[in-house]
Amino acid sequence: MEKIYGTTIRQDGLMKVGRKRWELFYGFGKDNDNDETGYNYRQVFSYKPTIEEIKDIIISQINKNIDEKILSGLVWKNMPIWLSSENQFNYKAAYDLAIQTNGATLPVTFKFGVDDTPIYHTFENLDEFQDFYTTSLAYVQQTLLDGWSEKDNIDWNIFS
């Protein structure tokens, strides 16, 4: 699905806009909270899609949005945190080892931020490391819950 900018409202539905043209609209979002307008997702078809096709497309978009939000949506202490699977594994391994050794493996340093402006942060004590780790876990879990809720609350009848 592609983002179509300029809307102020959510416009879920399937519309016939020509003899052989159907447009599927789903969702509403803004790139920044301060923006006056936002976007809907749109998929164009040269035929009327089945409800199964519509479900696949929308669920795939929601999954993609969840993955992107987990990957790059967390900010901890004003630092953007990149939560790739590899980084999540590295954070868990370092945290588990720090807990098991009662902090003997600290300090530990991670690279946060973005590639062109990296921020190197050193965890000196367990309390701060625990705050970071539990915050990142809670963030991932809440993002997943939000995605599951979005999927559960779709009224598929409006796409018929």
Side-chain angles (χ1 to χ4, degrees):
M1 297 187 89
E2 65 178 325
K3 289 181 181 179
I4 302 299
Y5 286 87
T7 187
T8 57
I9 58 171
R10 186 176 187 125
Q11 303 177 68
D12 294 352
L14 179 66
M15 294 188 282
K16 185 175 183 179
V17 294
R19 238 180 35 173
K20 293 184 178 183
R21 183 177 165 115
W22 293 82
E23 292 185 1
L24 169 65
F25 289 93
Y26 179 76
F28 176 78
K30 293 182 177 183
D31 290 332
N32 300 298
D33 291 336
N34 303 357
D35 291 348
E36 291 183 25
T37 61
Y39 59 84
N40 299 127
Y41 289 100
R42 179 182 73 178
Q43 182 75 39
V44 177
F45 299 90
S46 60
Y47 60 92
K48 183 177 182 182
T50 66
I51 192 66
E52 290 78 23
E53 287 176 287
I54 292 170
K55 286 180 180 181
D56 286 346
I57 289 167
I58 291 174
I59 296 298
S60 293
Q61 186 63 55
I62 293 170
N63 288 341
K64 180 180 174 189
N65 294 348
I66 291 168
D67 290 345
E68 287 175 2
K69 187 174 179 183
I70 287 172
L71 192 61
S72 62
L74 176 62
V75 176
W76 179 75
K77 293 190 177 183
N78 296 319
M79 293 179 280
I81 308 297
W82 191 254
L83 287 177
S84 65
S85 296
E86 180 180 1
N87 283 353
Q88 288 181 57
F89 175 81
N90 290 338
Y91 301 150
K92 178 179 177 15
Y95 177 73
D96 287 349
L97 193 55
I99 290 294
Q100 291 167 4
T101 63
N102 200 27
T105 57
L106 299 177
V108 64
T109 302
F110 288 110
K111 179 179 143 187
F112 297 146
V114 291
D115 286 336
D116 53 346
T117 53
I119 302 167
Y120 296 94
H121 184 80
T122 301
F123 292 98
E124 303 281 348
N125 62 66
L126 275 176
D127 289 339
E128 185 186 33
F129 201 5
Q130 184 171 17
D131 176 61
F132 164 73
Y133 186 68
T134 57
T135 297
S136 64
L137 279 180
Y139 175 78
V140 170
Q141 185 61 41
Q142 187 59 54
T143 302
L144 291 170
L145 287 170
D146 292 346
W148 296 335
S149 176
E150 183 175 355
K151 292 176 191 178
D152 291 343
N153 290 307
I154 296 173
D155 179 4
W156 294 111
N157 294 319
I158 63 175
F159 299 101
S160 298

